[in-house]
Amino acid sequence: MILDFPEPTLMSVNGVQLEVFEAGREHAARPIVLCHGWPEHAYSWRYQVPALAAAGYHVIVPNQRGYGNSSRPAEVTDYDIEHLSGDLVALLDHYGYEDATFVGHDWGAFVVWGLTLLHPNRVNGVVALSLPYQERGEMPWIEGMEAVLGADFYFVHFNRQPGVADAVFGENTLRFLRNLYRKNVPLAAPGRND
């Protein structure tokens, strides 16, 4: 099945360029913003975009900063929840919307939850897929994950060793991506010839 996914537009918002796909602009009174997860891309919403546009929504699908052709700021702090949710608020401002319904999957759900806390007046509805709201506790998240999942859990492992994930990805890009997107294939150790 070939899908007619919209062509992107680069928009300058919140100090970055976001690659944005949209459909159903004729339904300007009903904005809905779809926020992808990791390691996804706006294209992960390819089945929902036409259905939502047909249902009467103005569908706005950004590639978050660091993804696709959106800007990739160098500083880690440029990816905090204030910046990420600020990008979504700036998108609303770009279109002239006071608020919108936000749908987030995985990492996108985390960003949408943050947006709801930081800018509640800009959100008229939330759909969170695969990531329920997680209240910030007394223990930092990495320590909590380590206590529950162990030091070898990938998220803990790579966050405890800055630069290691970048080095593994840089040396073994093809194997890393094959393992990430594998289907019914046993895990294989990264190798230089893959």
Side-chain angles (χ1 to χ4, degrees):
M1 168 192 262
I2 297 175
L3 295 174
D4 187 22
F5 198 67
E7 289 296 317
T9 303
L10 284 178
M11 296 181 184
S12 295
V13 295
N14 199 30
V16 295
Q17 291 267 309
L18 292 184
E19 181 179 32
V20 180
F21 303 81
E22 66 176 310
R25 193 171 195 150
E26 66 273 17
H27 309 298
R30 296 184 68 199
I32 188 166
V33 181
L34 308 180
C35 301
H36 65 81
W38 183 91
E40 298 170 333
H41 182 273
Y43 188 69
S44 66
W45 297 106
R46 65 192 172 278
Y47 298 108
Q48 291 77 22
V49 169
L52 288 167
Y57 288 95
H58 177 196
V59 187
I60 304 165
V61 191
N63 269 327
Q64 295 187 66
R65 56 173 66 203
Y67 293 84
N69 290 316
S70 292
S71 295
R72 294 171 183 85
E75 296 299 318
V76 171
T77 54
D78 289 333
Y79 296 88
D80 65 19
I81 199 63
E82 289 182 22
H83 285 90
L84 294 169
S85 63
D87 292 349
L88 298 177
V89 168
L91 267 180
L92 292 183
D93 292 343
H94 172 83
Y95 287 106
Y97 292 133
E98 287 298 315
D99 59 21
T101 300
F102 289 86
V103 181
H105 174 250
D106 187 65
W107 176 247
F110 181 84
V111 174
V112 169
W113 286 125
L115 170 72
T116 303
L117 291 171
L118 294 172
H119 305 280
N121 59 325
R122 304 306 299 268
V123 178
N124 67 33
V126 169
V127 178
L129 305 170
S130 84
L131 187 67
Y133 175 69
Q134 298 173 7
E135 185 176 351
R136 186 175 185 157
E138 296 295 318
M139 181 183 294
W141 283 20
I142 296 299
E143 289 178 23
M145 285 181 157
E146 186 171 19
V148 173
L149 302 168
D152 215 23
F153 183 65
Y154 81 99
F155 204 90
V156 174
H157 175 77
F158 287 131
N159 275 279
R160 292 283 194 210
Q161 300 177 57
V164 171
D166 296 331
V168 168
F169 185 72
E171 282 186 34
N172 307 290
T173 305
L174 184 59
R175 175 59 65 116
F176 180 88
L177 292 173
R178 280 186 179 159
N179 280 343
L180 192 64
Y181 293 107
R182 73 187 182 280
K183 291 184 179 181
N184 298 322
V185 176
L187 284 175
R192 291 187 153 264
N193 296 326
D194 292 31

